[in-house]
Amino acid sequence: MIELSSIRNLIIDMDGVLWHGDRPIPRLIEFFDGLRTRGIKIVLATNNASRSGDEYVEKLARMGVRVSLDEVLTSPQATAAWLAAHHADARVFIIGEKGLQGELEARGLRVINDGDTSSATHVVVGIDHTLTYAKLVEACLLIRAGAAFIGTNPDVTFPGERGIVPGNGATLAALRVSTGQEPLIIGKPEPVMMVQSMERMGGSVNDTAVIGDRLDTDILGGQRAGLTTLLVLSGVTTAADAARDPIKADYTFADIGEILDALR
């Protein structure tokens, strides 16, 4: 664990940390202005697989915050990079949205949902707000036929504007029990995204920290990468959850505004 005064790089989750749905967390603009003033580099690393990097840049702009595309890393980006590095000739059936498909295709990977799905070598599952039973059936049959089963992220819930709702982990659970197969997870809590984020910023474990609202993904992922962890209670994890969970963050704050005050 490093002291807050030693932080020069921050890996920041978004859902539940910066906003709930389209409602920004209080002091959002002030938080980013404070980080910029202090010269702290950032990567916004999210398990959410529903949007592309460009869409996150645009969403933050609508909230009054400017970030560059290089400062955003999504689980679809990390998944696409992993597939391109290990299975460049993959034929992919996806459960997911345009953000996931776009990232896969940008890496030269072939998405075959609209073609002969029987030739799929991989099934990649991300959050899908138009999920249907037919999609689950197709994914189930392909995995049972031998296609590799990959999950962009394991989050079982998601902090929406109306409250906590099912996340991608809920979809993975349905496929896990119907196929008997465990998915390979690319996003948090696996350390891949943390390492990629540090590489972008030129950081190390000696000057980098992680901010997140989930103990089982953000905080555990940071720990697995050897990083200092900052939990915020503005998203999924409550104070009661944090007290009883065996996963413990190095620091706990109410929200990003309180983190900014502590950095000052």
Side-chain angles (χ1 to χ4, degrees):
M1 179 177 71
I2 62 176
E3 298 294 328
L4 295 179
S5 59
S6 298
I7 295 174
R8 297 293 177 268
N9 307 284
L10 276 173
I11 302 170
I12 307 170
D13 185 47
M14 290 190 271
D15 296 295
V17 177
L18 303 182
W19 56 61
H20 294 148
D22 289 321
R23 188 177 77 248
I25 296 292
R27 302 177 65 189
L28 177 68
I29 295 174
E30 181 187 357
F31 174 70
F32 277 91
D33 286 346
L35 297 184
R36 302 298 193 193
T37 299
R38 285 159 182 75
I40 296 175
K41 296 179 182 178
I42 63 170
V43 167
L44 308 177
T46 179
N47 268 355
N48 192 328
S50 66
R51 298 174 184 264
S52 67
D54 286 316
E55 288 175 306
Y56 280 112
V57 171
E58 293 168 2
K59 179 169 183 173
L60 279 160
R62 291 194 298 272
M63 294 180 177
V65 175
R66 285 181 171 272
V67 298
S68 69
L69 187 57
D70 287 340
E71 292 176 319
V72 177
L73 178 62
T74 68
S75 61
Q77 290 174 331
T79 300
W82 185 88
L83 272 173
H86 296 89
H87 302 280
D89 59 348
R91 297 170 61 84
V92 186
F93 176 83
I94 67 169
I95 288 179
E97 301 184 358
K98 64 179 182 179
L100 174 57
Q101 181 170 347
E103 297 295 352
L104 292 170
E105 292 177 341
R107 286 280 185 167
L109 297 161
R110 187 171 179 184
V111 177
I112 61 168
N113 285 50
D114 295 328
D116 179 12
T117 58
S118 65
S119 65
T121 59
H122 294 73
V123 172
V124 175
V125 181
I127 193 69
D128 190 336
H129 292 92
T130 60
L131 180 64
T132 64
Y133 183 70
K135 290 181 183 179
L136 286 173
V137 166
E138 193 66 25
C140 175
L141 292 173
L142 290 171
I143 294 166
R144 282 182 167 275
F149 181 19
I150 297 176
T152 59
N153 63 290
D155 305 54
V156 295
T157 57
F158 178 82
E161 291 185 19
R162 297 172 57 194
I164 304 301
V165 298
N168 191 49
T171 306
L172 293 177
L175 290 171
R176 183 186 294 113
V177 297
S178 60
T179 65
Q181 299 296 315
E182 288 292 326
L184 170 67
I185 302 297
I186 302 298
K188 299 174 282 186
E190 300 308 316
V192 175
M193 293 180 68
M194 303 297 180
V195 173
Q196 290 180 358
S197 297
M198 275 194 291
E199 289 174 348
R200 288 192 184 189
M201 295 182 289
S204 71
V205 296
N206 298 316
D207 58 15
T208 305
V210 177
I211 301 175
D213 70 310
R214 299 189 68 107
L215 290 165
D216 59 346
T217 56
D218 305 314
I219 303 307
L220 182 57
Q223 291 174 349
R224 287 179 175 177
L227 300 175
T228 295
T229 56
L230 285 63
L231 174 70
V232 290
L233 302 176
S234 55
V236 168
T237 302
T238 66
D241 294 333
R244 63 173 171 259
D245 199 294
I247 302 169
K248 302 296 183 184
D250 295 312
Y251 300 93
T252 300
F253 299 93
D255 55 25
I256 52 174
E258 195 170 279
I259 291 177
L260 179 59
D261 293 338
L263 290 173
R264 287 171 171 164

